[in-house]
Amino acid sequence: QQQVYVFSSIQKILRAFANESRPIIWFVDDLQWADQNSLDMIERLYEQHENGYFLLVTTARDEEKNAIENLIDWQHTFPYFNMVKLQLLSEKDVYNWLRQSLPMSDDIANYFTRQLYHFTQGNPLFIKEAFHMIVKNKILYFDLQQEAWQINEETLMETISQKEMLDFIANRIRLLPTQAQLLLQLASCIGRQFDLHLLVNLAESSVHEVVHQ
């Protein structure tokens, strides 16, 4: 019943606001984690929306090829369907991003690029998280006197050499609010895929609070 209500509500929003002067883009991330009911709802919403001015954008990881093909198979029937496959970033991509983002010398940029790429293997999410961790721990810092970014090479090497990726992710999790950490602990006990309402019941919370976290 709740899913019917959500479906009807989204339909009303699309009818009211998706028009030539205000088109709507609906972005659905991590489609590989969606259950079949959610996929069916997305498909019906798109098929039944006849007014136009509505763009559906979905993302999914291609860890399991057959699973991803099943996820996007129904989208091939839609007009103007297009799929863009994103590759891992190259070392040159990481270097260009650093040089365009931060004022630093060539030597520091080259050194930091090598270490960051080696640590993350070009995964954009890991690059973002590693960069945030390095800045937060003041391994990479802005020198006011030189007016440029500097890096503590010794501390960086210790951080990279002593921590595997799981430790790195654990450090990021520890920075989350206590309630968010509790939700992740409960979710990890359920498994890789789980129903939102099951997590809400286990957390003895509300859907709004869980989604907000």
Side-chain angles (χ1 to χ4, degrees), residues 9-209:
S9 298
I10 297 177
Q11 273 191 320
K12 292 177 181 177
I13 292 174
L14 291 177
R15 292 194 190 102
F17 296 104
N19 53 58
E20 185 175 3
S21 62
R22 191 185 301 168
I24 288 181
I25 299 177
W26 186 14
F27 178 73
V28 183
D29 197 14
D30 285 326
L31 198 64
Q32 77 281 355
W33 290 339
D35 57 28
Q36 191 58 48
N37 288 335
S38 299
L39 293 174
D40 291 342
M41 183 181 71
I42 295 173
E43 181 178 1
R44 291 199 305 273
L45 277 170
Y46 195 91
E47 288 178 340
Q48 295 181 21
H49 180 69
E50 301 175 350
N51 298 336
Y53 307 107
F54 172 45
L55 175 64
L56 174 65
V57 180
T58 64
T59 68
R61 300 181 188 179
D62 60 353
E63 297 169 347
E64 300 179 10
K65 184 177 180 182
N66 292 335
I68 296 301
E69 289 179 350
N70 292 334
L71 286 174
I72 66 173
D73 182 62
W74 52 272
Q75 299 184 49
H76 285 278
T77 62
F78 294 163
Y80 312 112
F81 169 80
N82 189 26
M83 183 171 67
V84 178
K85 186 171 183 178
L86 301 179
Q87 305 292 338
L88 294 176
L89 299 179
S90 67
E91 188 169 338
K92 183 178 180 181
D93 293 330
V94 178
Y95 174 82
N96 290 336
W97 170 69
L98 286 174
R99 291 312 308 269
Q100 293 173 12
S101 303
L102 304 173
M104 59 177 61
S105 66
D106 287 338
D107 290 340
I108 292 178
N110 283 317
Y111 172 78
F112 190 31
T113 297
R114 288 196 302 272
Q115 301 305 326
L116 192 60
Y117 182 77
H118 174 73
F119 186 41
T120 63
Q121 296 299 303
N123 185 303
L125 175 61
F126 290 164
I127 290 173
K128 174 186 174 182
E129 296 300 319
F131 182 81
H132 284 170
M133 181 187 71
I134 290 169
V135 171
K136 185 176 182 64
N137 293 336
K138 298 182 179 180
I139 300 172
L140 180 69
Y141 60 95
F142 187 76
D143 191 313
L144 293 175
Q145 292 183 340
Q146 300 186 35
E147 296 184 348
W149 287 84
Q150 304 292 329
I151 192 165
N152 188 322
E153 297 184 10
E154 182 177 352
T155 306
L156 179 64
M157 289 303 297
E158 290 176 356
T159 301
I160 293 178
S161 62
Q162 293 177 0
K163 297 182 182 298
E164 300 293 337
M165 187 57 68
L166 289 178
D167 295 326
F168 162 66
I169 295 174
N171 283 336
R172 289 294 299 160
I173 292 177
R174 293 190 192 101
L175 298 177
L176 295 173
T178 303
Q179 184 62 24
Q181 293 187 43
L182 175 61
L183 289 174
L184 288 176
Q185 292 174 7
L186 293 174
S188 66
C189 294
I190 302 172
R192 185 172 181 178
Q193 294 184 350
F194 55 87
D195 182 79
L196 173 61
H197 296 285
L198 174 58
L199 181 59
V200 168
N201 292 333
L202 289 175
E204 297 181 346
S205 183
S206 66
V207 172
H208 174 75
E209 290 176 346

